[in-house]
Amino acid sequence: MFDDLVDATTGTRGAGALSSWSRVENAACACRVATMAAMLDEAYALSGSADRDQWCLDDFDAVAAHIGAAQNITPGAASHQLLVAIALHERFPRVAAVFAEGLITHALVKTVVQRGALVIDPDALRALDHLLAQAFGDWEPRSVDKTEKAIDFFVGQVDPQAVRRAETKARGRSVEVHIEEDGSGLATVLATLFAHDAKVFEARLKNLAATVCPADPRTADQLRADAYGAIGNGTDRMACLCGNDDCAAIDGEKPPLFDKPLRDLTLTEVMTPTPGRFAKLRPAASTGGQFLPGAVACRAAIGATITQVVHPGQAPPENRYRPSKKLADFIRCRDMTCRFPGCRVPASQTDVDHTIPWPHGPTAASNLKCICRRHHLLKTFWGGENCWRERQLDDGTVIWTAPDGREYITTPGSRLLFPELSAPTATITTTGRPVPHTAGLAMPRRKVTRVEGHVRAIHRERNANEQSVGEDGPGP
């Protein structure tokens, strides 16, 4: 089918070519989704153990990690794609067939999976799959809202209690942090809170903004924005930027912007600003890899505890399992994020891991890397000769080998802005033969399996729908 769609594009141009290639794109996406579902089926067949269902990092997580590495996407995005793939091919085979023909988009498929998630009766599910597949034959363009309502109409026909009711404002409360990708060093925060919490938070912002003197050059809005940073760093005062030694906001000494050391910022050079302009400045970056212009970095560094990052050069390994703070600081600043392919967990929230396990592998920069707890468990319990393997080069490059033999290379996150941190360190030598990663260890376990948790969540929402139908009538 896919090859036929590609062949159909031959000789087309303009709008005709655009339509043909859009269908090819949809069909290719369907092949990608089907491959994910097949990968999970194969993993279940190979594991042969129901015990893994209660592992903290189960078969699903292991396959999601492989999907994330293959597509260079985050674990969250990979898990979401895998969930859609499973639901589509287990619950909506006819919709999957329409998708394979390129007649519908992946966005529509995701909506079908999400809006039909509460249908649990097999007969009702088959009926819904048939109705949707039939309707998609002449499906016209719709907005997201109208698409959801149209699918809800079909869900209501087969199972009224499975219609996902509109969430109340309280259930929809959330906080979104969008970090700008334009190199400005700015971010946008959008939040929906309970009114009483919002009032308390607003008062906190005002109180923090009032800790600077009247000569501070920032506007009221800028002060309130900067107060977010003070709250995030757990302080009760803001640094005044008036520049006066006899500042009224200072009782004998300049108040720090941060009471705690600033551990999520990498600065290889911070210059003191001169009146009216900044001196020579280098960019900075957070340990999550986010770029910060030099001017923004200087502002963030006011009053902060600055820790010097020291490249270990050709220094010999440390004779201990846990690296010293000096060495650990270097590893986190060099790596910036988790070193598993596609993972963006900030280095400040990761483990410093031995690539070759201690004591066979030394505690040295060439054998240490940052890895988040999820991928640390993956390496430990899903590693081995035919599973995930890794090797590390002297410049911090890590080469991962997946269970299927494909290699994925990750380089230190600091390499672009701070290449000096990737200068080669001392080549390591191993001692003896490494023992299996799992020797003497046990995988943390879930209280309930993934499937059990999913079933409970569905029944809770269906019960809430049943009560809603009783109170407000049968409509969605």
Side-chain angles (χ1 to χ4, degrees):
M1 170 61 72
F2 181 77
D3 291 338
D4 293 339
L5 292 175
V6 174
D7 292 340
T9 63
T10 303
T12 59
R13 55 180 298 179
L18 183 63
S19 177
S20 297
W21 282 114
S22 293
R23 188 170 175 182
V24 170
E25 180 182 14
N26 293 337
C29 189
C31 292
R32 178 168 61 89
V33 170
T35 299
M36 295 180 196
M39 288 174 66
L40 185 61
D41 287 341
E42 183 179 359
Y44 283 141
L46 291 175
S47 69
S49 173
D51 181 63
R52 284 186 178 178
D53 289 344
Q54 287 195 294
W55 279 18
C56 181
L57 196 141
D58 57 10
D59 289 277
F60 178 96
D61 288 316
V63 172
H66 200 165
I67 290 172
Q71 300 183 95
N72 197 29
I73 58 177
T74 64
S79 296
H80 180 70
Q81 289 186 7
L82 183 55
L83 285 172
V84 172
I86 295 168
L88 179 65
H89 290 276
E90 290 184 355
R91 293 168 55 82
F92 299 99
R94 293 192 178 187
V95 173
V98 176
F99 188 27
E101 293 179 16
L103 298 176
I104 56 177
T105 66
H106 187 253
L108 181 56
V109 167
K110 288 194 297 183
T111 305
V112 168
V113 169
Q114 195 271 334
R115 304 309 295 181
L118 301 187
V119 180
I120 56 178
D121 180 75
D123 292 334
L125 187 59
R126 281 191 293 270
L128 176 62
D129 186 30
H130 175 75
L131 288 172
L132 290 173
Q134 197 171 40
F136 290 156
D138 56 355
W139 193 262
E140 72 275 7
R142 288 176 168 86
S143 66
V144 173
D145 181 61
K146 288 185 178 180
T147 298
E148 290 182 349
K149 288 181 178 178
I151 295 175
D152 285 348
F153 172 76
F154 291 115
V155 173
Q157 283 187 300
V158 301
D159 188 352
Q161 292 182 15
V163 177
R164 309 201 83 160
R165 268 50 183 179
E167 293 185 350
T168 64
K169 288 186 177 180
R171 289 181 63 191
R173 64 190 186 278
S174 63
V175 176
E176 297 180 15
V177 179
H178 175 69
I179 300 177
E180 305 295 341
E181 300 294 342
D182 57 3
S184 63
L186 300 178
T188 301
V189 179
L190 300 174
T192 301
L193 315 174
F194 285 121
H196 59 277
D197 289 334
K199 289 181 179 179
V200 172
F201 189 75
E202 182 181 29
R204 180 79 183 278
L205 291 177
K206 289 181 177 179
N207 290 337
L208 280 169
T211 60
V212 302
C213 81
D216 189 287
R218 288 169 288 186
T219 65
D221 286 342
Q222 290 171 344
L223 284 169
R224 284 161 56 89
D226 291 349
Y228 271 84
I231 291 175
N233 284 279
T235 65
D236 57 4
R237 296 184 68 83
M238 291 173 57
C240 185
L241 301 183
C242 68
N244 300 326
D245 293 335
D246 57 349
C247 173
I250 306 174
D251 297 327
E253 60 182 68
K254 198 175 187 65
L257 180 61
F258 310 113
D259 287 337
K260 302 175 182 178
L262 187 66
R263 296 192 184 280
D264 64 346
L265 194 66
T266 298
L267 302 173
T268 58
E269 181 177 349
V270 177
M271 305 299 293
T272 304
T274 56
R277 69 183 186 88
F278 286 97
K280 174 187 175 184
L281 294 173
R282 286 187 62 180
S286 69
T287 48
Q290 183 62 34
F291 170 84
L292 292 176
V296 175
C298 276
R299 173 67 63 85
I302 294 176
T305 299
I306 304 298
T307 301
Q308 185 179 12
V309 179
V310 180
H311 189 284
Q314 297 298 307
E318 297 181 349
N319 188 25
R320 51 195 287 180
Y321 167 72
R322 190 177 299 276
S324 65
K325 180 180 181 302
K326 180 179 177 181
L327 180 56
D329 284 345
F330 167 76
I331 299 299
R332 295 188 192 280
C333 290
R334 181 197 67 189
D335 289 353
M336 297 268 187
T337 64
C338 170
R339 296 298 305 281
F340 191 82
C343 189
R344 303 303 301 167
V345 173
S348 56
Q349 301 172 25
T350 63
D351 301 327
V352 176
D353 171 59
H354 290 76
T355 298
I356 300 174
W358 168 272
H360 306 284
T363 301
S366 295
N367 192 45
L368 295 173
K369 65 184 180 303
C370 290
I371 188 169
C372 70
R373 187 58 55 86
R374 170 192 290 266
H375 292 124
H376 200 164
L377 290 173
L378 179 76
K379 166 195 167 174
T380 303
F381 293 94
W382 295 89
E385 185 176 350
N386 297 315
C387 296
W388 284 100
R389 306 179 298 284
E390 76 219 286
R391 57 191 176 93
Q392 185 170 338
L393 307 183
D394 295 351
D395 64 354
T397 298
V398 180
I399 303 171
W400 295 85
T401 303
D404 61 1
R406 294 180 181 272
E407 290 188 345
Y408 303 95
I409 299 175
T410 68
T411 56
S414 64
R415 183 160 294 179
L416 178 62
L417 292 178
F418 313 113
E420 59 268 40
L421 296 181
S422 291
T425 52
T427 301
I428 64 169
T429 56
T430 58
T431 304
R433 181 181 178 86
V435 296
H437 292 312
T438 54
L441 301 176
M443 168 70 85
R445 301 178 70 83
R446 302 169 180 267
K447 293 182 179 179
V448 297
T449 67
R450 184 184 299 275
V451 173
E452 290 170 345
H454 181 63
V455 170
R456 291 182 185 182
I458 288 177
H459 281 292
R460 281 196 299 269
E461 191 164 352
R462 285 183 60 89
N463 290 338
N465 284 348
E466 184 176 7
Q467 294 175 6
S468 175
V469 169
E471 296 171 359
D472 303 327

